[in-house]
Every structure is written in structure tokens, then in C-alpha cells.
Amino acid sequence: MALSIDDIKKIAHLARIEVSESEAQATLSKLTGIMGLIEQMQAVDTTGIEPMSHSQDLTQRLRDDVVTKENLRAEFQKNAPALGNGSNEPAVAEGLYLVPKVIE
Amino acid sequence: MEWEVVIGLETHAQLQTKTKIFSGASTAFGAEPNTQACEVSIALPGVLPVLNSEAVNCAIKFGLAVNAHIAPRSVFARKNYFYPDLPKGYQISQYELPVVGKGAITIQVPAVGKNAAYEKVINITRAHLEEDAGKSVHGAVEGMSGIDLNRAGTPLLEIVTEPDMRSAAEAVAYAKKLHELVQWIGICDGNMQEGSFRCDVNVSVRPKGSDKLGTRREIKNLNSFKFMTQAIEFETRWQIETLEDGGAISQATVLFNPDTGETRAMRSKEEANDYRYFPDPDLLPLEITEADKARVKAQMPELPEAMKARFEAQYGLTSYDAASLTASRELADYFVAAVTAGAEAKPAANWVMGAISAKLNAEEKTLADSPVSAAQLASLLKRIADNTISNNAAKQVFEAMWNDEGEVDAIIEAKGLKQVSDTGAIEAIIDEVLAANAAMVEEFKAGKEKAFNALVGQAMKASKGKANPAQVNEILKKKLS
């Protein structure tokens, strides 16, 4: 499968990564290389082999439904991103993490 | 042209676990913002999800309850999108291999106008485990949104149907049935106000008889059955009118506005949703063995369908009565408690579905708040059965019990409602009535059957309604023959 520069831009946008034209070109050649690798793997005859969804052939271990986490809000919120506009204070208020206004 | 509406539902049921699906943070409702948001909930770098066994048990219970295929191996996937209440940048969900596969739920669609009630099977496509996102809170700080991640990571079971429903009534009947079922099996508290049970409804229309599906619009986040009815009816009309006016429907997500009763498309996203699902490398495949299923099955209560069949067989109830009593776990438990306390089944069924339901509805109460307990109902019914009081008197006693005026026997005593079953006393009353109503007696003897009922009426009146009506009938018949 051939990737185009538009594919790269779309993928970058979906991942919210800003790429310049030259970065997009560089990424295109890297990703094209990876796609080549995938094509090579797809050429292998895997008839009769059950697909795996994880590289380790193990199954999920489960946790008991018991509260083990204490309230560490104060600690966590010290580490919140800075409020900005010249303030280095963490962007929190009334226990909430503050973000730019969300409007639907 | 005649149109047909096609409806499918996606329901998010919040699972009744103590902790989150991938961490040991509490899921209790109503806590101070972010006090139940641990490092996994807020997605600090390097944290890893560990699956909650109880969330898995809930999914197995649901699968068993709808006779679904339960996947021996299912896989968690990342659904990638950006939103402030989703700090990881992806929601852990299931995509290609969900934990619960195809199943079915039988719904009872109530009678509407000329249309009789009927049953219908709604097919379940799948149900999968996933985590909830956090909540955006507005107004705490001017120009900013606040994020509360207490809800982030709360376990959800998303239950998806086939597009099997053909009216708002069917969609609501399904939603109500599912709502009862998840509470019945104890996997969800069903609290719609708190968002524990939320429905997204996919609606499309097509010319009747067509087997091609029209373009659907998805009504998001309906949290009441009333709104669901209104939203589907409005949306259906809107789609039909649009098509009849020569327009076209484009796929969209719409919101229902309860104030206007209208649905409106959300601002369309610049880019169509592209979630780039892929298996989450932080989680291994979930394995569910036959032994796991057997263990969960052993913990499950009798299911409504089975209980309905048992009520019919064990208590001789009609299919309709049995279905009504098993419409909710609460109702069924109350009925069984009354019977266990000594009430006869058929009268107990009638009283639970009649007088008690009517009172609860009128006062907008649930059975849990009923002033008359199942044991109290049973003691009332025992007094009818042993002829202490008549059915009519029982209604007065019930009213008094409801108003907390005391226990059955005390009320019967206080109100002087005790039925006269003493043959001698009744005979004396009847003799008086016969003597005073010679004309009626003549009429009866001349072949007027109605006169007999009039005489019974006179006797009941003379006893101030306390005479046992069956005995009055019997003795009167004897005296007149």
C-alpha cells in the first residue's frame, strides 16, 4: 500500500501532532519503510495459525474488586499544568483540573 | 407513501462494582471532584491497567441472562480520540472480539389504543466492557472548563441491539426490559438521573416493505423513557417530512432538547470519526472458561422468564399475571414474601397488582417505601380467607394500614369491621328482613330472580355490611325454598 503525503497529514492531525512540510516528507519515507516491512510479513503463509492480539501468549490476570487507592488529589494537583498567562500556579480550582473552555 | 421506522439501541450500563475497571479507585457516586481519581484515572505516564474481576463477572451475568455466546477469549482495544475528560487520549474498550456475542431479549409491548399488547424478540448484537470518561464542569472559573475525573475508568457494559425495533413503543419496551434485567441480575443500579443507564437510539426510516435500511441518525444520551418516546417520535416525523419534501438524510449525531421536544444535529465534526482502534498492548486477552461461567451462574438469581414460568406452574397464575409480577425484581420479591407469609397466591397477585400498585403510582412511591409490608398484606389476606372480614371491609382496612393506623386485627376491631359469620345471628337478621319485605318474598316466589338479590341487599344492609355475604346467600336460599 502506497502512502501519500495527505495520509501523513491526516494521521498527524488525528494524533494532534503538528508537522511541517519537510517533517511530513521525512515521515512519509519512514512510514513507507514500515509499510514495506508489513507487506513482507503479510507475504508469509500463516494458514492454520490463530492470530494473536498480544505478543505474549498469556491471558489477562484479574484484580479483586477492592478499593486500594487513597485520595491523593492534593499531590496530583500540585503537578497539574501551569495556569499560563504568566502564572506558574497549577491550573486547578475547587478540586477540578482546569482546561480551556469546552463548548459542544 | 407509507413509511416504516427502524430503530436500534446502544445502551451504556454502569456496572455495580466497588472499584474502577482498571484500577482500585472507588466508584462511589457523589464524591468531591477528583478525590476518586487515582494515577490510572488521571493517566499519569507509566501507569498500567489491571482488570477488575467483578466487571468481568457482571459481563458474564449479562451474557447468561440473554442467552448469549460468551467469548472464551476477548480483547481490549484502544479507541483513540481527544477530549479533555479523556486524559489518556484513548478509551479502553472492546472492538473486534467483545466479551458477549449474539443474544436475545423478549419484550412485552403494551397495548396502545386499538392495538393489542404483543411480545417480540429483540436480538442483541453484542455487549462489551469499556471504561467511562470523566466529566466536564462549567462555571467554576470564568472562561475555563473544569475536569472531574472521578468517573473516568468507571466500568460500563455497552449493550448493542440489532435494528429490530419498529416503533417508539417497541424501543421503550426494550429499554425498560433491559433496565429491569440489569437491576434484576444485580449488575447495574439503573439510576438514570445519575447516568448509570444511558441510551443512544439509532433511527432511520424507509418505505414500508423495503428491505434496505435508510440512513440513520443517532440520538445521544437519552436518560428517561419519556424523553426517549418524544425524541424518537419527533425524529421519525422529521426524517419522513425531509424525505417527502425531496430532501436527503445525512448520517449525524443528534441531541434531544427536552424543553422544545425536538432533536437537533450536533455541530458536524470537521473530520468523520476515525477512532483507529487497535488491541491495547497493556492488556492481555481476557479468557473466560466454562468453569468461570458455571461459577457466575451459581451466584445468579432466578431470571424473570424462569420465575414467570414457575409462578404459572406453582401458583396457578395466568401468563399475564405472572408476567406483570415478574416485571421487576422488587414486585416479584414482594409477592413471594406475601405468599411465604401465608397469603394465598391468586388474591396476593391481585392485591399487589391492584390496590398496592395503584397506591404506589398515585403517590409516586416504590415498593421499598410502601407503608404496607408484604407480611402485613399477608395478614390482611388471611383475615379475608378466614372470613373475619369481607372483601369490601378489607379495602377499608387496607386504606387504614396504608395510613399507618395500626395492624390488621387492631384496625378491624377499632372500625368494627368484623364480619358476622355466626349462623344464628344471620338467621335472626334474615328472619327480620323476610318479615319486613313480604312483597319481595312474593315476587321471588312468583319467579322474579331479581327479588332474591334485593333481599340479600336488605340483609346486608340490616347487618351494616358485616354479615358474611356467602352465608347470607346460603341461608336465604334455604329459607325461601
Side-chain angles (χ1 to χ4, degrees), chain B residues 226-238:
Chain B
K226 193 177 121 203
F227 293 162
M228 186 183 290
T229 307
Q230 290 175 359
I232 294 171
E233 285 174 352
F234 180 87
E235 179 65 24
T236 306
R237 268 199 313 278
W238 182 85

Side-chain angles (χ1 to χ4, degrees), chain B residues 93-121:
Chain B
S93 181
Q94 295 190 298
Y95 188 55
E96 281 176 330
L97 294 169
V99 58
V100 176
K102 286 183 191 308
I105 289 183
T106 302
I107 61 166
Q108 281 80 31
V109 187
V112 182
K114 281 180 291 178
N115 302 326
Y118 58 96
E119 285 198 343
K120 181 169 178 171
V121 174

Side-chain angles (χ1 to χ4, degrees), chain B residues 6 89 137 143 163 175 188 197 200 210 214 253 346-347 412 421 434 442 469 481:
Chain B
V6 176
V137 181
C188 173
F197 187 89
D200 300 339
S210 163
T253 301
K346 184 70 194 166
I412 295 173
S421 298
L434 292 178
E442 283 312 308
S481 61

Side-chain angles (χ1 to χ4, degrees), chain A residues 10 13-16 53-54 56-69 71 73 76-77 93-104, chain B residues 17-20 23-25 33-35 37 39 42 50-54 75 82-84 138 141 143-147 266 271 274 276 281 283-285:
Chain A
K10 186 185 172 204
H13 174 72
L14 285 170
R16 300 296 186 274
S53 57
H54 200 278
Q56 284 184 295
D57 192 14
L58 298 169
T59 54
Q60 184 62 39
R61 282 185 58 180
L62 303 179
R63 174 176 62 76
D64 286 342
D65 184 26
V66 175
V67 178
T68 54
K69 299 291 184 187
N71 172 19
R73 183 177 77 178
F76 292 151
Q77 294 202 333
E94 296 173 22
L96 300 163
Y97 293 92
L98 297 177
V99 297
K101 195 165 186 173
V102 185
I103 325 155
E104 187 53 72
Chain B
T17 57
K18 294 186 193 72
T19 63
K20 297 188 178 180
S23 77
N34 292 309
T35 55
E39 62 276 20
I42 68 173
V50 189
L51 185 56
N52 182 342
S53 58
E54 195 48 37
V75 170
F82 288 96
Y83 209 73
H138 306 285
V141 170
M144 313 223 28
S145 292
I147 303 297
M266 285 166 71
E271 207 119 13
D274 184 346
R276 295 151 293 141
L283 288 154
L284 291 156

